[in-house]
Amino acid sequence: MNSATSSPEFGSVIVGVDGSEPARQAALWAAAEATRRERPLHIVYGADTDGRALYVSVESVERVREAGRELLDASAAAVTEQFPGLQVNTEFSRAAPVPSLHRSAGLHGTIVVGNRGMGGFGSLMLGSVGLKVAAGAKTPVIIVRGIDNGAETGTVLAAVRDEHDLDSARYAAREAQFRKGSLRLLHVWNILQSVGNVVTLLDDVDQIAGEHVHHLTAVADQIREEFPDLTLQVDAEKSVSVAGVLVEASRHADLLVMGGRRSPSYLGPTLGRATHSLIHHAHCPVQLIPRHGHEHGSES
């Protein structure tokens, strides 16, 4: 790994609103994040009026526009009341919410969405817009959930699978710096997927464990070199459920950061099975960092 690699560039924070309570909470959380980063907050409402214009009346489209602009004004006012020094911009987009958010993020923006939208079925379900935003994102996405579960811990948790997660670990380190907190790197390996049967498990468990620890140590050493003043905790655990361990660990974190899967799946280029579980069940906000250029197999 190359220590000369620059730290991740953090642009504006972009949050989508739709009038739901989770979206309102996401907007306030995004405002706090923008304040920590000293970057502007961009509030977006994707009305999809272009798509609706073919089958609804002009009057109906105009009502949607008016409601959208009123929602943007109210969202901006609520944010400004709590964060008076923050630069806040609003955007009414005639396109659908997902492409509107992706376009607004540009090359370096971070998209923030609530854990469910107007069509959500329950507190554990990510809305379809949020799911599609996360699945197709080319810039970081944060799903805001678990913010009512307790006081802030000051800890950012980063899931590390191998050396290719160095980029997401860098994002996590910067997030910890923004919070003046600490970073925990956690590697979880599923022992049942690493071996073929019990006999192989007994013969090879030490070697397999050593290989997994090596991946974690390589990332940790690089983070220590690049962020020498950051308090760092490094842990490796084995389990039959990677997602289960990370969900439990998220109880004690303010933010969980993890890289997307390495190759596209039916869920999109960012979401694999483990990440899909975490964005539905984590106890804190989850930040997904898209991977670029790594195509070897991974199911996370």
Side-chain angles (χ1 to χ4, degrees):
M1 290 180 295
N2 186 357
S3 62
T5 303
S6 60
S7 295
E9 183 173 346
F10 285 78
S12 299
V13 178
I14 297 90
V15 63
V17 294
D18 63 3
S20 66
E21 177 59 20
R24 186 191 72 83
Q25 293 178 354
L28 293 175
W29 191 96
E33 178 72 4
T35 300
R36 284 188 288 265
R37 297 183 180 189
E38 299 182 346
R39 295 290 189 271
L41 175 68
H42 196 62
I43 306 175
V44 177
Y45 177 74
D48 195 19
T49 52
D50 285 349
R52 300 180 189 190
L54 296 176
Y55 56 87
V56 298
S57 67
V58 174
E59 292 78 12
S60 296
V61 170
E62 185 57 34
R63 285 196 294 271
V64 170
R65 290 173 178 167
E66 291 178 0
R69 293 189 176 102
E70 289 177 0
L71 174 60
L72 287 170
D73 290 343
S75 299
V79 164
T80 302
E81 181 179 1
Q82 292 197 28
F83 302 90
L86 179 64
Q87 179 182 340
V88 180
N89 306 311
T90 61
E91 177 187 351
F92 177 91
S93 173
R94 298 184 307 177
V98 174
S100 298
L101 290 168
H102 285 163
R103 184 188 64 249
S104 296
L107 296 177
H108 302 292
T110 297
I111 301 172
V112 178
V113 293
N115 68 301
R116 59 188 175 97
M118 295 295 287
F121 295 102
S123 61
L124 294 178
M125 297 300 294
L126 180 64
S128 60
V129 168
L131 190 63
K132 292 176 182 176
V133 167
K138 296 181 180 179
T139 60
V141 174
I142 299 175
I143 296 93
V144 176
R145 55 173 301 106
I147 55 176
D148 296 326
N149 289 344
E152 293 185 350
T153 66
T155 298
V156 174
L157 173 66
V160 176
R161 285 161 286 194
D162 54 36
E163 289 91 338
H164 293 306
D165 277 320
L166 176 58
D167 284 345
S168 60
R170 286 188 175 112
Y171 272 94
R174 288 292 302 278
E175 291 284 5
Q177 286 184 327
F178 290 145
R179 289 164 172 74
K180 297 179 173 59
S182 61
L183 173 63
R184 182 189 182 194
L185 300 181
L186 177 58
H187 173 85
V188 186
W189 56 289
N190 188 332
I191 195 168
L192 297 181
Q193 293 176 348
S194 300
V195 296
N197 54 52
V198 175
V199 174
T200 306
L201 167 63
L202 295 175
D203 291 341
D204 297 345
V205 65
D206 290 339
Q207 177 182 348
I208 295 170
E211 291 173 356
H212 283 273
V213 171
H214 171 76
H215 293 314
L216 177 61
T217 301
V219 173
D221 288 346
Q222 193 69 36
I223 294 298
R224 287 192 181 96
E225 180 178 339
E226 296 181 19
F227 302 88
D229 297 328
L230 182 64
T231 299
L232 182 65
Q233 178 183 348
V234 182
D235 295 305
E237 297 185 22
K238 60 180 182 291
S239 173
V240 296
S241 172
V242 174
V245 172
L246 291 171
V247 166
E248 184 60 28
S250 72
R251 293 181 183 274
H252 311 290
D254 295 337
L255 181 68
L256 166 59
V257 182
M258 62 187 309
R261 62 178 290 120
R262 298 178 207 162
S263 58
S265 71
Y266 72 96
L267 293 171
T270 300
L271 297 184
R273 287 193 293 272
T275 49
H276 189 267
S277 295
L278 285 162
I279 63 176
H280 285 89
H281 301 289
H283 298 283
C284 69
V286 178
Q287 183 176 30
L288 302 178
I289 310 299
R291 292 189 180 204
H292 303 288
H294 304 304
E295 300 299 330
H296 357 321
S298 173
E299 67 178 22
S300 298

